[in-house]
Amino acid sequence: MSIKKYIILLEDFLSKKIDTNKFEQIFLQIFKDEEIFYSEIEFQVLDKLFGDVDAYCNDPNLIEDPEFEITEEELRLSAKKTLDQLVELENI
């Protein structure tokens, strides 16, 4: 597994080169297709983002339980945190 593809995807999302729906679609596909993670920490970082992507609701009016559903703003904050962690892991 290469975390570089996740870093590029996160950078594209955070710079708004791709919209939230496209990010969600691409991230879920590559994460689910991943056959092996090189380290438990990589998996934990990406799995946390997976949970947030899964909890993302594109219509704030449809959020019934803020404990289990997140807004685009919250997803972007999670993506930024994930990007920072992956860049740090890449530099180890």
Side-chain angles (χ1 to χ4, degrees), residues 10 13-14 23 45 48-53 70 72-85:
L10 287 162
F13 173 57
L14 292 169
F23 168 74
V45 168
K48 168 68 171 99
L49 180 60
F50 177 84
D52 288 343
V53 169
I70 66 172
E72 180 177 343
E73 181 180 337
E74 292 169 306
L75 180 58
R76 287 186 178 279
L77 289 172
S78 177
K80 174 66 172 125
K81 182 177 179 181
T82 300
L83 176 61
D84 292 344
Q85 291 172 322

Side-chain angles (χ1 to χ4, degrees), residues 18-68:
I18 60 172
D19 67 20
T20 307
N21 293 329
K22 188 70 169 176
F23 168 74
E24 178 182 29
Q25 174 189 9
I26 294 169
F27 177 80
L28 290 175
Q29 181 177 350
I30 63 174
F31 185 79
K32 288 178 180 179
D33 289 346
E34 204 68 66
E35 293 183 15
I36 188 167
F37 290 91
Y38 289 125
S39 74
E40 180 66 22
I41 189 72
E42 286 177 4
F43 173 75
Q44 289 175 355
V45 168
L46 291 166
D47 190 53
K48 168 68 171 99
L49 180 60
F50 177 84
D52 288 343
V53 169
D54 190 47
Y56 165 67
C57 180
N58 67 356
D59 185 348
N61 296 320
L62 296 177
I63 294 178
E64 295 177 10
D65 189 345
E67 185 176 342
F68 298 107

